[in-house]
Amino acid sequence: MLHYHRDTTPRGTKKRIDIMIKSLTNLASAAVLATVCLALPAQAESDKAELLRHANQTVNHLRSDPAFGTARTMLQGAEAVYIVPKLVKGGFIFGAEGGDGVLLHRTGHGWSTPRFYGMGSASFGLQIGLQQAELVFIINSRRALRGIEKGEVKLGAAGGITVVTLSGGAEGATTAHGGDMVVWTSGTGAYAGLTFNGTVIKQDKEMNEVPATGPEAEALRKNLAGIW
């Protein structure tokens, strides 16, 4: 014989229990969401601080490079600098390069608050190996700076922005004046060099939502002011 258990809980009490369970569920969901929302800005600030510290290290590496001495006078007239502490290029058959960078332009009182821009490009060819490099783009023309600040710019003949590489040493500085940008690079790996045709520089809107005004930003500005 089958026995059925009859629910003797009053309907009003059961309804109140259901409401309490729903409220607790909503509160738990809200707590999780709040935790995520608080964690995201904290992570963004941490990423920005780390990128600024690495950019400062790249400037120090540039200062100790023999190629920098010859180019110093040219750098004093630059409109801006774009520093990419870590550009990664690698692949087999398909190659790609990309990295995050920091842009600062000249003001009447030194260097501006750093802003964040990513760069990347893709190519097709028989490319084997991996290259990792740090770059400093010395931006000589206002049109190049405006193109970057507008949010997106393409380097090379198609984009109308010429780039000259200074990594060859002192002799590169003598011909670099004609470029919209002069690039210092220090890289290792299987690639003989870097080319920038088709490379896109695009603003990182999320990282630029809040100005970078912490100690890492100030240290980078002071380091640049000590050079240029």
Side-chain angles (χ1 to χ4, degrees):
M1 180 180 295
L2 298 176
H3 298 278
Y4 295 93
H5 175 71
R6 182 180 178 185
D7 187 358
T8 58
T9 304
R11 290 186 178 181
T13 302
K14 186 176 181 180
K15 185 176 182 181
R16 285 195 297 270
I17 292 173
D18 290 341
I19 291 173
M20 289 176 63
I21 292 173
K22 186 175 181 179
S23 298
L24 289 172
T25 302
N26 290 338
L27 285 172
S29 300
V32 172
L33 181 60
T35 301
V36 172
C37 290
L38 289 172
L40 288 177
Q43 181 62 45
E45 289 303 311
S46 175
D47 292 343
K48 288 161 66 171
E50 183 178 9
L51 181 54
L52 288 166
R53 283 194 297 270
H54 290 163
N56 208 7
Q57 292 172 1
T58 296
V59 173
N60 289 335
H61 296 161
L62 168 64
R63 295 177 72 166
S64 63
D65 191 290
F68 172 72
T70 305
R72 188 174 189 132
T73 55
M74 176 180 59
L75 300 174
Q76 291 174 351
E79 295 282 340
V81 290
Y82 175 53
I83 306 163
V84 182
K86 185 178 179 180
L87 179 81
V88 177
K89 179 175 181 178
F92 178 75
I93 299 180
F94 290 97
E97 61 186 16
D100 296 320
V102 182
L103 177 75
L104 300 93
H105 66 267
R106 287 190 184 277
T107 70
H109 306 284
W111 291 93
S112 68
T113 299
R115 291 179 63 80
F116 302 92
Y117 292 76
M119 68 175 295
S121 69
S123 61
F124 175 81
L126 198 59
Q127 302 177 25
I128 305 174
L130 177 68
Q131 183 174 43
Q132 190 170 296
E134 51 187 345
L135 312 172
V136 177
F137 288 76
I138 304 153
I139 302 171
N140 293 320
S141 71
R142 290 189 177 181
R143 69 168 181 162
L145 176 58
R146 284 197 299 266
I148 294 174
E149 289 179 330
K150 283 173 62 178
E152 186 171 336
V153 67
K154 182 177 287 188
L155 307 183
I161 304 295
T162 58
V163 181
V164 178
T165 302
L166 186 61
S167 58
E171 65 273 13
T174 60
T175 60
H177 294 278
D180 292 294
M181 297 183 186
V182 178
V183 185
W184 172 87
T185 174
S186 174
T188 59
Y191 290 94
L194 291 171
T195 59
F196 299 98
N197 284 333
T199 296
V200 172
I201 299 176
K202 190 172 183 179
Q203 179 181 179
D204 189 325
K205 294 182 180 179
E206 182 178 345
M207 292 188 74
N208 287 325
E209 284 182 358
V210 178
T213 56
E216 293 84 5
E218 186 60 26
L220 178 58
R221 293 174 66 228
K222 285 184 177 180
N223 198 358
L224 288 172
I227 304 173
W228 306 317

